[in-house]
Structure formats: C-alpha cells, structure tokens
Amino acid sequence: SQLTVNVSKDKEALGLMRDAGFYNVFIGLESTSVEVLKSYRKLHNIAFDYDEAVARVREYGMEVVASFIFGTDADTPACFDSAFNFFDRNNILYPYFNILTPIGDQWKRYMREGRLLTVKPRMYDAHHTVFITMKMRPIELQTGFIDLVDRVLSYDQIKKRLLGAL
C-alpha cells in the first residue's frame, strides 16, 4: 500500500492493516529537509519525526518502503548524506529513491527557463539528471545520486539491514 506518513499516528489503522496482513507500506517521505518538504508542499511531513514514524509502523509488524526524491530547487549536495544517514540509522529494509523528473507544467517551466539539459524521453527515467537545479550543479545531482545508490546498496549495508530485520 502507498500511504502518507500520517498513518504512523493512527494506531487503529495500523492495527487493522496488521490484521489484514500488510507487511510493508510505501511512504513518500521525500526528504529530511524542511525546506525541501516545503518546496513539495508536503507540509504534513514536517510535523513528523521520521525515526519515530518508522518505529511505530514496525511496532505493528510492517516495514516502511521509504521513498526519497532528489533534485528540487531547495536540495543541496548535503541531501545525499542526510538520506544515507536516515536509511542507515533506521535500518530501512526498503530504501527507495529517485532523481526528480520534471513533467507537465514543471517541464514547461524548466523549458521556458532554459533549465532542461535534454528532451530525450529515454533519459526521463528518474535515474538521470535532465535539468539544472538551483543549489547544485547537474553533475553534483547525478554523482550524488550514484554515490548514494552505491552506499545504500553495498553488500555491507544490505547485510546490516537484513541482520537487523531478524
């Protein structure tokens, strides 16, 4: 299921989900940065301590598929270390992350502003940097993302998370 982090405060819903056989929930946390969350207009996320939210969901026998997106105009190169620290500290079994891929009105705005690096559809896969962000260079976004994938999906990290899940 895909839910907001709000579910972590609803013990009744968590109990019903556990009883129904849920074993994980996809939650779009997006970022640990308040500034980034504001840029997404995910103001409800700001009120939550993500560490507590993950722990609460686990109390009911479920794991969080913790989703982050990188590349908003509020993101800085520090976003990658912050995300890694969150995944590591909370032993997130299912880390999920992408590079922002502009579509619709955002794509049109970036095109008008001259911020698109390519219009090749094959590059719009959420793993390639296709636009210029405001607080980091495109190469910083791309290499930061690749480095995060490498760190989070290293054998040592996978082993740590799996042993922690036991």
Side-chain angles (χ1 to χ4, degrees):
S1 179
Q2 181 173 349
L3 301 167
T4 69
V5 70
N6 296 347
V7 74
S8 68
K9 294 215 176 180
D10 190 336
K11 293 179 182 181
E12 181 181 1
L14 289 169
L16 290 169
M17 291 169 63
R18 177 193 56 221
D19 296 346
F22 282 70
Y23 54 89
N24 63 36
V25 291
F26 183 101
I27 299 178
L29 299 176
E30 314 315 352
S31 177
T32 59
S33 163
V34 170
E35 187 177 348
V36 171
L37 293 173
K38 285 179 181 177
S39 75
Y40 279 125
R41 296 185 182 105
K42 290 198 85 163
L43 303 179
H44 61 277
N45 279 29
I46 295 170
F48 287 84
D49 178 313
Y50 286 173
D51 296 355
E52 289 177 13
V54 169
R56 173 65 51 79
V57 171
R58 282 187 175 140
E59 286 173 19
Y60 287 83
M62 293 172 279
E63 287 293 330
V64 173
V65 179
S67 175
F68 280 59
I69 300 175
F70 303 99
T72 70
D73 285 342
D75 272 319
T76 69
C79 67
F80 301 107
D81 286 337
S82 179
F84 176 80
N85 292 338
F86 170 78
F87 293 140
D88 185 54
R89 180 176 67 248
N90 287 287
N91 203 37
I92 298 294
L93 285 179
Y94 305 108
Y96 188 85
F97 37 90
N98 290 303
I99 294 175
L100 179 68
T101 301
I103 59 172
D105 289 341
Q106 185 180 45
W107 188 90
K108 290 174 187 172
R109 180 169 58 88
Y110 286 4
M111 176 64 95
R112 278 193 315 272
E113 294 171 358
R115 293 174 59 190
L116 292 180
L117 299 171
T118 182
V119 294
K120 294 178 183 174
R122 73 175 187 271
M123 300 300 286
Y124 284 70
D125 61 1
H127 292 146
H128 289 91
T129 300
V130 295
F131 66 100
I132 300 167
T133 65
M134 298 301 271
K135 294 186 178 179
M136 65 178 125
R137 296 173 308 172
I139 193 70
E140 290 175 304
L141 176 55
Q142 189 66 54
T143 59
F145 180 78
I146 291 168
D147 180 61
L148 179 65
V149 170
D150 188 53
R151 289 191 291 164
V152 171
L153 300 180
S154 72
Y155 288 118
D156 288 340
Q157 277 291 307
I158 292 169
K159 178 181 174 183
K160 175 187 171 288
R161 291 195 305 268
L162 290 175
L163 291 173
L166 294 175

